[in-house]
Amino acid sequence: MFRTHNCGELRLSDAGKTVILSGWVQRVRDKGGMVWVDLRDRYGITQLVFEEGKTKDELLDAVKKLGREFVIQAKGEVLERYAKNDKLATGDIEIMTEELNVLNASKVPPFLIEDETDGGDDLRMKYRYLDLRRNPVRSALQLRHVMLQKTRQYLDSQSFLEVETPVLIKSTPEGARDFVVPSRMNPGEFYALPQSPQTFKQLLMVSGFDKYFQIVKCFRDEDLRADRQPEFTQIDCEMSFVEQDDILNTFEGLVKHLFKEVKGIDIKHVPRMDYADAMRLYGSDKPDIRFDMQFVELNEVTQGKGFNVFDSAELVVGINAKGAGEYTRKQLDALTDFVKRPQVGAKGLVYVKCNEDGTFKSSVDKFYSQEDLKEWAGKMNAESGDLLLVLSGDMDATRFAMNVLRLHMGDELGLRNKEEFKLLWVLNFPLLEWDEDTKRYHAMHHPFTSPQKSDIPLLDSDPGKVRANAYDMVINGVEVGGGSIRIHDRPTQQLMFRHLGFSEEEAKAQFGFLMEAFEYGAPPHGGIAFGFDRLCSLFGGSDSIRDYIAFPKNNSGRDVMIDSPSPISNEQLEELAIKLK
Amino acid sequence: MFRTHNCGELRLSDAGKTVILSGWVQRVRDKGGMVWVDLRDRYGITQLVFEEGKTKDELLDAVKKLGREFVIQAKGEVLERYAKNDKLATGDIEIMTEELNVLNASKVPPFLIEDETDGGDDLRMKYRYLDLRRNPVRSALQLRHVMLQKTRQYLDSQSFLEVETPVLIKSTPEGARDFVVPSRMNPGEFYALPQSPQTFKQLLMVSGFDKYFQIVKCFRDEDLRADRQPEFTQIDCEMSFVEQDDILNTFEGLVKHLFKEVKGIDIKHVPRMDYADAMRLYGSDKPDIRFDMQFVELNEVTQGKGFNVFDSAELVVGINAKGAGEYTRKQLDALTDFVKRPQVGAKGLVYVKCNEDGTFKSSVDKFYSQEDLKEWAGKMNAESGDLLLVLSGDMDATRFAMNVLRLHMGDELGLRNKEEFKLLWVLNFPLLEWDEDTKRYHAMHHPFTSPQKSDIPLLDSDPGKVRANAYDMVINGVEVGGGSIRIHDRPTQQLMFRHLGFSEEEAKAQFGFLMEAFEYGAPPHGGIAFGFDRLCSLFGGSDSIRDYIAFPKNNSGRDVMIDSPSPISNEQLEELAIKLK
C-alpha cells in the first residue's frame, strides 16, 4: 500500500496514529539536529520531521539527500506540533518519520514549482506537466472539473439528454475554416471536424429528443489570437417546442445554478437588452454593465456652433466619467493618446471638466460657451467633479472607439471588480451582416437562425435591417454564450440559403439532409451554446482561457510539449492517397 | 407557449384541467362520429379525442387531414376515459380537444415509426433522425445518458478529476492506424486524432493530479468489422500511488455502482482469474462465466490407445455439455459441421454420450473401450444424460475452436441469459505477443505497461513468457475494460521500447517528452479504460454497439445520412498544402 492518507487530511484528532504518506518533496529544511520535509500532493502539504537521537542515522542521511520534487513514501506517527501553522490545514500536526522510501528521484525542475514561479511562458508550456503541479494552475483545472459536474447536474435535472454527436463529419464552406481528415477507406474524400454540432443537434430535435445537451470539443482552423484555441469546449444545448423566453429562462437558470453552486453567489436578476440599445448605449453587443457610464448622444447640443469636427460628424457621443474631474493635463493627454492608437482609431478626444465651482473647463472652450457646456453636462447628468469625454465621427467607428474608452475608464476608475458578476441578455440581433471582402451578406449567427417573422418582408428590400430570433448571454462584458430560435421548415431554410448566396445545388449538396429532415415533422426548436473555456476563466477571475485548459496550444497551433503537429511517414501519406505540395 | 405539459405526464388527478400539448401524430383512428389521435413525444403518448356534436366542425375536418408524424399543438380539457388503457401511463385520461394547430406537416416516412419497423438497415441509417424516433432506439440512447451521468457521479465522489485532454495530438506508429489532420499553419505537418489519451493521462499523474477521468472520444483508422466504429467512446481513468489491487477495487466499485443504479442489480463478488487459467479452462482471455462447462485436458487418458488423431495432438480437450446426452445424430452432425467451418477451424469433433444405463456411446468406439470412456467421463464429472465433446490438435488452435464450441453450446442449452451478469477480472496477461507478419514482439496492451518485476530477467531470454501488470474486466464473455500498472521510470521505459524494436532515436522522437517527464518525479501509477459503447450495449442487452451510438458510421466508415466523407474544394487543398494522388 502506498499510503493510508493523503497529504491534506491529517488533523490533531489523528495524533498517535501510524500513517503512510506518499507525495512530492516541496522543501527540505535542515537545522542540524532537526530536519523537516514538506510533503506535497494534490490535497495538501504535511510536514515530516526527523530528529537526531530519535531518528535512525541512516534515515537522517537519506533525508538530507532528498531533492526538490523527489517522490517519496514516508511512514511514521502523527504528533501534535509544538509550533502550529494556522495557514496549513494540516498545520497542527507533523509526522515523526520512521521509514522513508524514495519512489522516484527528480532532476532539478527548469522553474520553481511555487505559486509565483520564475518560469517564462514558453518554458512552462514545454514542461506543462510541471506547470500543472503549481497550485494556481491545478486550482484552475479543479474549478473546471466542478463546473463540468455542476453543469451536467443542472441539465440532467431539467430532463436534458446528453447525446454524443460525431467528431468525424462533413466539411461545409459556411463559417470558419474546417480542420479536415483524409479518409483512407474513401480515397480523395475527407471528413471535417465539427465547428459545432449544430446540424446534429437540430436533427436530434427532429428525432423528438426534446432536450439535448453535450459538453463537447469543437474545432476551428483560424489564425489564432491570444485567446483563441484551435480546439475548444462548448456547452451545447437544444430544446423543442420553445419560444425565446423558454430558452432564456432555462439557461439563466443554468448560469445562476453555477454561480450559486460554484461561487456561492446569488444572481438575482438578468436584465435583457436590445442589440440596438446595446450598440447605442455602450457601442458594443457585449456591454460590461458592472458600471454605468452609458453613451449620451450629443449631436443636438454640439452641432451648429461652428466646431467643424463635430458639425461634420455622423455621431457626437459622450460618456460621464464620474469623479474624474481632477484628472491632470498629463492624464488627459494619455487618454487622448489612448484613443488615437490605431487599434482604437479616434481622431481626437474632447473633454469637459465639471469644476467644483460650477464652471466648466473644456478642450473646446474656443467654440462652446459655459452655457453650451452646461447643456452638455445636463444631458449627461454631470455634477461637480465629473469628467465628460466626447468622441465624434462615423457612427460605427465612433461607437467602437467610445466602447474601448469606456472600458478603459472603467478600469482606471476601478469599476470592473473581478469578484462582481453582472449578467445580461442581448436580444434581437441582426440576421445578416454585410461582408466587405466578399461583397455579400453573411449570417451573423449562422444560416439556421430564424428571422423575426415581422421582418421577413425586409429580406428583399433591406436585408441588413432584418432582425433574428437570436440572443447572447454576456457576463461582465464577455460574451459567454449565444443561440437562436432555428428555422424548422424547408421553404424558410431555402430562402435563407438563397439570401446567403448559395445556389440551389450548393445548398442541397451541403445541407440537403437537414432540409429533407425538415419535411418529416420537424418541431419548432432553438438552442444555445456556451464557450466553456471562457466561462471557466470568468469564474476563475482570469482573462486567459489558456490557464483553464490542461494542454493548450500556442499561437501557431503547436503543442510544444509533445511537439505536434509533426511530419508523418510516406507510408501514411501513401495509404491516405495524398501528397505534400 | 407551446405546451403546458408533455405527452407522458397527465394523470387522472389532472382531470378538469385545460392543457396544451405538442407532439407528433402517432396514429389517427376515425370511427365516424369519434376521432382519436395518439399524440407522441419523448415522454409518452396522450390520447386526443374529437367528437361530433361536441367538437367544432372545422376541427373535425382538420383532424381528419392529419397524417402520421405531423407535428401538432392541441388545447383542451383533461377528461377521465371511459375505456382505460392500463398499458399507457396516461391511459386513464384523454384530452377533449378544443384547439388544434398544425406546427409542421410531414411527408409519409420511408419506414414505420414503431417498435417493430419495416425499414432495412440502410434505409434506417440514411434517415437516422427518423429511426431515432422509435422507442427502442431512443431508449438505448436514454440508457446511455443515464450511464454517462452515473459514471461521472461515482468517479467524482471518489475524488477523480475530470480533465479534457487534446484531440489534436501527434501521430505515432505504435498501435493501430491514426487518423491525421493536415495543419494549415504548419505546412507539411499533421496532427493525429488520439487512439486514447494514454500519454496525456500519464503526464497528468506526473503533474500530481492523483486521480483523473474523462469520458472521451477516441479514434482508430482500422478496417471496420461489424461492431467497430472509427470513433468510439472510452471511460478513461488513471490513478497515482496505487498497486493493482487498488485499481481493481476502485473500478469494481464503479461497475457495481452502475449495475445497482442503472439496473437495480447487486453484484456481489467479482472473481479474479489468471490469464493462463482463462486460456486453459476456457480457451479465451474473456471467458463467459455465466455457465461452467470448463475445458478438461484429456491427453493423459486419451493418448496411446491407437487413435492417431489424438496421439499426434498437442492438446486433447473436452467439455461436458450437461444434459445434452439426448442430442440426435442430426444435431451432432450439425455440431461437427459447426466446428469444421473455416472460422472455427477444427478438423473434426469427437463426442461421447453418457447413456441413462451407465454405458457410453461415442464416435470413437473403435478405439476406446467402455472402461476408457468411463475414465474420460470421470475426469469430466459427467453423469448419465451428459454429452462430452472433444477436440484435438495444436494447443492454440484447439483452445480457440473449443472456446467457440463452448459458447455455441451455451447458446444452444440456454445458459447465456442476457439478464444475468457475471463479472470477472482476468489478470497477469503476457507483456508481449509475437507478430508473425512483422517477425517481432508487440506490446499486448501498450508500450507503457509495466512488466512484472520478477519476470524482467526473462525479457532477454524468453520475452513471450514475461507477464505484465495488466488486467481486463470481462462481463458475460465481453471485454469491457482493460488497463495496467504503468512504467514510471525512464530506464524501464527505454528497455521496453528497445524490446519492441524501437531505435533510441525513434523512441526519443515519438515519446521523448514522456520519458523526460519520468525524470522529474513521476509517481507510481496505473489506470484503466472502459469501452463505453460496448458497456452500454451490454447493459441494454444488445449485441450491437451501433444501437447505442446516436449517429454511427457504416462499415465503410461513411455517414450515409450526411454523406460524409466527401470531396473538399481545391482552395481547401491548396491552403493545406496537400494534393490528391
Side-chain angles (χ1 to χ4, degrees):
Chain A
M1 194 202 299
F2 278 106
R3 59 186 175 194
T4 56
H5 295 77
N6 65 46
C7 296
E9 63 180 322
L10 290 169
R11 298 289 181 274
L12 199 49
S13 57
D14 297 303
K17 286 184 190 162
T18 295
V19 300
I20 305 175
L21 300 182
S22 289
W24 285 263
V25 173
Q26 178 78 20
R27 202 170 282 108
V28 179
R29 275 160 301 150
D30 181 356
K31 302 274 175 193
M34 301 272 280
V35 184
W36 292 274
V37 173
D38 282 350
L39 190 66
R40 185 197 74 226
D41 67 11
R42 176 186 127 197
Y43 311 94
I45 284 181
T46 299
Q47 180 167 295
L48 309 179
V49 61
F50 304 78
E51 191 175 348
E52 228 165 75
K54 288 190 186 167
T55 305
K56 280 174 289 182
D57 285 351
E58 65 262 37
L59 213 62
L60 273 170
D61 289 346
V63 73
K64 290 177 184 181
K65 285 183 195 138
L66 295 177
R68 273 181 178 254
E69 301 305 317
F70 273 44
V71 185
I72 62 170
Q73 182 189 39
K75 182 176 178 180
E77 192 187 338
V78 183
L79 298 184
E80 181 170 2
R81 279 208 216 178
Y82 292 108
K84 299 197 169 59
N85 177 350
D86 57 13
K87 282 184 198 127
L88 217 57
T90 62
D92 286 351
I93 58 97
E94 59 191 358
I95 313 295
M96 180 54 70
T97 311
E98 292 143 28
E99 287 177 31
L100 181 70
N101 245 319
V102 175
L103 300 173
N104 216 343
S106 174
K107 294 207 285 197
V108 176
F111 51 85
L112 279 177
I113 314 290
E114 303 273 3
D115 291 5
E116 297 292 329
T117 181
D118 54 351
D121 260 13
D122 292 348
L123 198 61
R124 287 190 295 117
M125 279 301 146
K126 180 162 163 52
Y127 295 94
R128 180 66 169 171
Y129 50 87
L130 296 179
D131 200 31
L132 286 169
R133 279 189 197 161
R134 296 170 52 237
N135 279 320
V137 187
R138 205 198 45 243
S139 309
L141 288 161
Q142 279 180 312
L143 173 75
R144 187 178 177 113
H145 163 84
V146 174
M147 300 274 292
L148 285 168
Q149 312 314 315
K150 299 291 179 190
T151 298
R152 296 199 198 92
Q153 219 171 65
Y154 174 85
L155 293 170
D156 180 47
S157 77
Q158 301 290 310
S159 301
F160 282 79
L161 289 179
E162 181 174 356
V163 181
E164 294 155 75
T165 53
V167 177
L168 296 171
I169 65 164
K170 183 174 174 166
S171 189
T172 56
E174 184 66 16
R177 215 181 274 108
D178 284 324
F179 282 105
V180 298
V181 181
S183 166
R184 181 181 53 88
M185 295 218 270
N186 305 275
E189 300 192 325
F190 293 76
Y191 301 99
L193 304 183
Q195 296 182 30
S196 96
Q198 185 61 31
T199 51
F200 289 98
K201 68 176 174 174
Q202 291 193 242
L203 289 174
L204 286 172
M205 295 303 104
V206 177
S207 299
F209 271 56
D210 208 74
K211 293 176 174 182
Y212 143 91
F213 86 96
Q214 189 183 191
I215 303 183
V216 61
K217 275 280 174 78
C218 299
F219 306 86
R220 273 180 209 169
D221 185 11
E222 286 175 337
D223 296 318
L224 301 172
R225 286 181 273 149
D227 219 18
R228 283 270 176 91
Q229 287 281 318
E231 52 179 299
F232 53 97
T233 302
Q234 263 183 209
I235 306 172
D236 193 52
C237 305
E238 198 79 4
M239 302 170 78
S240 288
F241 301 117
V242 287
E243 288 157 349
Q244 179 169 293
D245 259 15
D246 300 310
I247 296 194
L248 301 190
N249 291 334
T250 301
F251 292 99
E252 226 169 275
L254 168 63
V255 179
K256 283 179 178 174
H257 172 84
L258 290 176
F259 272 108
K260 182 73 190 161
E261 294 275 315
V262 179
K263 297 190 73 76
I265 295 175
D266 273 308
I267 300 289
K268 296 277 181 322
H269 174 62
V270 183
R272 298 175 183 188
M273 189 184 293
D274 238 59
Y275 170 86
D277 290 334
M279 295 309 290
R280 187 171 53 80
L281 296 172
Y282 299 94
S284 166
D285 59 0
K286 38 179 189 283
D288 183 350
I289 59 166
R290 275 175 297 182
F291 65 109
D292 217 9
M293 216 187 279
Q294 288 184 350
F295 292 9
V296 179
E297 299 192 350
L298 298 171
N299 294 43
E300 220 175 280
V301 296
T302 57
Q303 291 181 328
K305 305 276 176 163
F307 182 42
N308 189 43
V309 174
F310 282 0
D311 287 352
S312 63
E314 185 183 4
L315 177 69
V316 182
V317 65
I319 54 174
N320 177 359
K322 291 209 79 70
E326 300 296 314
Y327 261 43
T328 61
R329 182 80 228 173
K330 206 175 147 191
Q331 283 175 301
L332 290 165
D333 286 347
L335 287 183
T336 306
D337 291 344
F338 177 81
V339 298
K340 286 169 87 171
R341 290 178 313 150
Q343 311 92 294
V344 186
K347 298 256 167 21
L349 174 68
V350 166
Y351 70 84
V352 181
K353 284 179 165 192
C354 306
N355 298 325
E356 293 299 332
D357 62 2
T359 64
F360 301 95
K361 170 76 194 102
S362 88
S363 54
V364 285
D365 284 349
K366 236 200 292 188
F367 300 99
Y368 298 95
S369 68
Q370 288 287 315
E371 272 315 298
D372 292 335
L373 297 177
K374 191 171 183 183
E375 201 179 358
W376 301 15
K379 280 207 91 143
M380 300 173 80
N381 287 320
E383 301 165 306
S384 296
D386 291 353
L387 172 69
L388 313 181
L389 299 170
V390 182
L391 294 176
S392 65
D394 289 346
M395 174 88 75
D396 290 350
T398 306
R399 282 179 170 174
F400 171 83
M402 189 54 111
N403 169 48
V404 180
L405 178 60
R406 174 179 174 272
L407 294 176
H408 181 70
M409 291 308 298
D411 283 333
E412 288 214 341
L413 301 176
L415 304 172
R416 305 181 74 192
N417 173 5
K418 282 199 175 165
E419 285 309 309
E420 186 190 2
F421 295 92
K422 283 285 167 68
L423 282 61
L424 173 72
W425 286 112
V426 178
L427 309 177
N428 300 318
F429 275 78
L431 183 71
L432 304 167
E433 60 185 344
W434 182 254
D435 183 55
E436 267 306 320
D437 288 346
T438 55
K439 297 283 174 208
R440 65 178 184 86
Y441 280 103
H442 281 270
M444 193 157 183
H445 191 55
H446 55 50
F448 313 106
T449 295
S450 63
Q452 296 193 4
K453 228 176 200 163
S454 56
D455 289 356
I456 289 185
L458 294 172
L459 265 176
D460 285 313
S461 57
D462 195 355
K465 281 271 187 307
V466 178
R467 285 165 306 167
N469 293 309
Y471 33 80
D472 274 0
M473 179 175 273
V474 176
I475 304 181
N476 292 2
V478 177
E479 181 211 322
V480 296
S484 63
I485 299 294
R486 325 298 185 187
I487 297 167
H488 68 282
D489 65 291
R490 183 169 192 138
T492 310
Q493 191 64 66
Q494 275 173 325
L495 182 74
M496 187 67 187
F497 281 133
R498 205 171 64 232
H499 278 283
L500 293 171
F502 283 63
S503 74
E504 214 159 303
E505 293 71 41
E506 286 167 345
K508 205 179 155 193
Q510 287 162 36
F511 298 109
F513 63 97
L514 185 66
M515 291 192 287
E516 193 175 3
F518 286 170
E519 295 186 297
Y520 287 101
H525 62 283
I528 196 166
F530 289 90
F532 186 66
D533 307 302
R534 177 151 332 277
L535 198 62
C536 288
S537 74
L538 197 81
F539 269 65
S542 165
D543 290 328
S544 160
I545 61 169
R546 226 176 258 187
D547 298 346
Y548 292 79
I549 296 173
F551 299 102
K553 293 186 176 54
N554 74 9
N555 281 354
S556 329
R558 294 201 74 81
D559 181 330
V560 293
M561 180 184 70
I562 64 170
D563 193 23
S564 157
S566 58
I568 60 174
S569 70
N570 288 328
E571 292 74 35
Q572 276 176 293
L573 291 170
E574 192 89 22
E575 277 200 315
L576 296 170
I578 56 174
K579 288 195 286 191
L580 300 184
K581 267 234 160 119
Chain B
M1 196 203 300
F2 277 106
R3 60 186 174 193
T4 57
H5 296 77
N6 66 47
C7 296
E9 64 181 322
L10 290 169
R11 298 288 180 276
L12 198 50
S13 57
D14 297 302
K17 285 185 190 161
T18 295
V19 299
I20 306 175
L21 300 182
S22 289
W24 285 262
V25 173
Q26 178 77 19
R27 202 172 283 108
V28 180
R29 273 160 303 149
D30 181 355
K31 303 275 177 194
M34 300 274 279
V35 184
W36 292 273
V37 173
D38 281 351
L39 190 66
R40 186 198 72 228
D41 66 12
R42 175 185 127 198
Y43 310 95
I45 283 181
T46 299
Q47 180 167 292
L48 309 179
V49 62
F50 304 77
E51 190 175 351
E52 227 166 73
K54 289 191 185 164
T55 305
K56 281 175 286 181
D57 285 351
E58 64 263 37
L59 213 60
L60 273 171
D61 289 347
V63 72
K64 288 175 185 184
K65 285 182 195 139
L66 294 177
R68 273 178 179 256
E69 301 305 317
F70 273 45
V71 185
I72 62 170
Q73 182 189 40
K75 183 176 176 179
E77 193 187 339
V78 183
L79 298 185
E80 182 170 2
R81 281 208 214 178
Y82 293 109
K84 299 197 169 58
N85 178 349
D86 58 13
K87 282 186 199 126
L88 218 57
T90 63
D92 287 351
I93 58 97
E94 59 191 2
I95 312 295
M96 181 54 72
T97 311
E98 293 143 27
E99 287 177 30
L100 182 69
N101 245 320
V102 175
L103 299 174
N104 215 343
S106 175
K107 295 207 284 196
V108 176
F111 52 85
L112 279 176
I113 312 290
E114 304 273 3
D115 291 6
E116 296 293 328
T117 181
D118 54 351
D121 259 15
D122 291 348
L123 199 61
R124 288 190 293 119
M125 279 299 145
K126 180 164 162 53
Y127 295 95
R128 180 66 170 172
Y129 50 88
L130 297 178
D131 200 31
L132 286 169
R133 280 189 195 161
R134 296 170 53 237
N135 279 322
V137 188
R138 206 199 43 242
S139 309
L141 288 161
Q142 280 179 311
L143 173 75
R144 188 179 177 111
H145 163 84
V146 174
M147 300 275 289
L148 285 169
Q149 311 316 313
K150 299 290 179 189
T151 299
R152 296 199 197 92
Q153 219 169 65
Y154 174 84
L155 293 171
D156 180 47
S157 78
Q158 300 290 310
S159 301
F160 282 79
L161 289 178
E162 182 175 357
V163 180
E164 295 155 74
T165 53
V167 176
L168 297 171
I169 65 164
K170 183 173 173 166
S171 187
T172 57
E174 184 66 18
R177 217 181 272 109
D178 285 323
F179 283 106
V180 298
V181 181
S183 166
R184 180 181 55 86
M185 294 217 270
N186 304 275
E189 300 192 324
F190 293 77
Y191 301 101
L193 304 183
Q195 296 182 30
S196 96
Q198 184 62 33
T199 50
F200 289 99
K201 68 176 174 173
Q202 291 193 243
L203 290 174
L204 286 172
M205 294 304 104
V206 178
S207 299
F209 272 55
D210 207 70
K211 292 175 172 184
Y212 143 92
F213 86 97
Q214 189 182 191
I215 303 182
V216 61
K217 276 278 175 78
C218 299
F219 305 85
R220 273 181 209 171
D221 185 11
E222 287 176 337
D223 296 318
L224 302 173
R225 285 180 275 147
D227 219 18
R228 282 272 176 89
Q229 287 280 320
E231 51 179 298
F232 55 97
T233 302
Q234 264 183 209
I235 307 173
D236 192 52
C237 306
E238 198 80 4
M239 303 170 79
S240 288
F241 301 117
V242 286
E243 287 155 351
Q244 178 169 294
D245 259 17
D246 300 310
I247 296 196
L248 301 190
N249 291 333
T250 301
F251 293 99
E252 226 170 275
L254 168 63
V255 179
K256 283 179 178 175
H257 173 84
L258 289 176
F259 272 107
K260 181 73 189 164
E261 295 275 315
V262 178
K263 297 191 74 75
I265 295 175
D266 273 308
I267 300 288
K268 295 276 179 327
H269 174 61
V270 183
R272 299 175 183 188
M273 190 185 291
D274 237 61
Y275 170 86
D277 290 334
M279 295 309 290
R280 187 171 53 82
L281 296 172
Y282 300 94
S284 166
D285 59 1
K286 39 179 188 283
D288 182 349
I289 60 166
R290 276 174 298 183
F291 65 109
D292 218 9
M293 215 186 279
Q294 288 183 351
F295 293 9
V296 179
E297 301 193 350
L298 299 169
N299 294 44
E300 220 174 282
V301 296
T302 57
Q303 292 181 327
K305 305 277 176 163
F307 183 41
N308 188 42
V309 172
F310 283 1
D311 286 353
S312 64
E314 186 183 3
L315 177 69
V316 182
V317 65
I319 54 174
N320 178 358
K322 291 210 80 68
E326 300 295 315
Y327 261 43
T328 61
R329 181 81 229 172
K330 205 175 144 191
Q331 283 175 300
L332 290 166
D333 286 348
L335 288 184
T336 305
D337 291 346
F338 176 81
V339 297
K340 285 169 86 173
R341 291 178 312 151
Q343 311 91 295
V344 186
K347 297 256 165 25
L349 173 68
V350 168
Y351 70 85
V352 181
K353 285 180 164 188
C354 305
N355 298 324
E356 293 297 334
D357 62 3
T359 64
F360 301 94
K361 169 78 195 100
S362 86
S363 53
V364 286
D365 285 349
K366 234 197 300 183
F367 300 98
Y368 297 94
S369 67
Q370 288 287 314
E371 272 315 295
D372 291 335
L373 298 176
K374 191 170 180 182
E375 200 179 357
W376 301 15
K379 279 208 92 147
M380 297 172 81
N381 288 320
E383 300 164 307
S384 295
D386 291 353
L387 172 69
L388 313 183
L389 300 170
V390 182
L391 295 176
S392 65
D394 289 345
M395 175 89 74
D396 292 350
T398 306
R399 283 178 170 176
F400 171 82
M402 188 54 111
N403 169 48
V404 180
L405 178 61
R406 174 179 175 271
L407 295 176
H408 181 71
M409 290 310 297
D411 284 333
E412 288 214 341
L413 301 176
L415 304 172
R416 305 180 74 192
N417 173 6
K418 282 200 174 164
E419 286 308 310
E420 186 190 2
F421 295 91
K422 282 284 167 68
L423 282 62
L424 173 72
W425 285 111
V426 178
L427 309 177
N428 300 318
F429 276 78
L431 182 71
L432 303 167
E433 59 186 343
W434 182 253
D435 183 56
E436 267 307 319
D437 288 348
T438 55
K439 297 284 175 206
R440 64 177 183 89
Y441 280 103
H442 282 270
M444 195 158 184
H445 190 54
H446 55 49
F448 314 107
T449 295
S450 63
Q452 296 194 5
K453 227 175 201 165
S454 56
D455 289 356
I456 289 185
L458 293 171
L459 264 175
D460 286 311
S461 57
D462 194 354
K465 281 271 186 311
V466 178
R467 286 165 305 166
N469 293 310
Y471 32 80
D472 274 359
M473 179 176 272
V474 176
I475 303 180
N476 292 1
V478 176
E479 182 212 318
V480 296
S484 64
I485 300 293
R486 325 298 185 188
I487 296 166
H488 68 281
D489 65 292
R490 181 167 196 143
T492 310
Q493 190 63 68
Q494 275 174 325
L495 182 73
M496 186 68 187
F497 281 132
R498 204 171 65 229
H499 278 283
L500 293 171
F502 284 62
S503 73
E504 214 159 303
E505 292 70 43
E506 285 167 346
K508 204 179 156 192
Q510 288 162 36
F511 298 110
F513 62 96
L514 184 67
M515 289 193 287
E516 193 174 5
F518 285 170
E519 296 185 296
Y520 287 101
H525 61 284
I528 196 166
F530 289 90
F532 186 66
D533 307 301
R534 177 148 333 275
L535 198 63
C536 289
S537 73
L538 196 82
F539 270 65
S542 165
D543 290 328
S544 161
I545 61 168
R546 229 176 255 188
D547 299 345
Y548 293 79
I549 296 173
F551 299 102
K553 293 186 175 58
N554 74 9
N555 282 353
S556 329
R558 293 201 75 80
D559 181 329
V560 294
M561 179 184 71
I562 64 170
D563 193 23
S564 156
S566 59
I568 59 173
S569 70
N570 288 329
E571 291 74 34
Q572 277 176 293
L573 291 171
E574 191 90 23
E575 277 199 315
L576 296 171
I578 55 173
K579 287 195 287 192
L580 300 183
K581 266 236 158 118

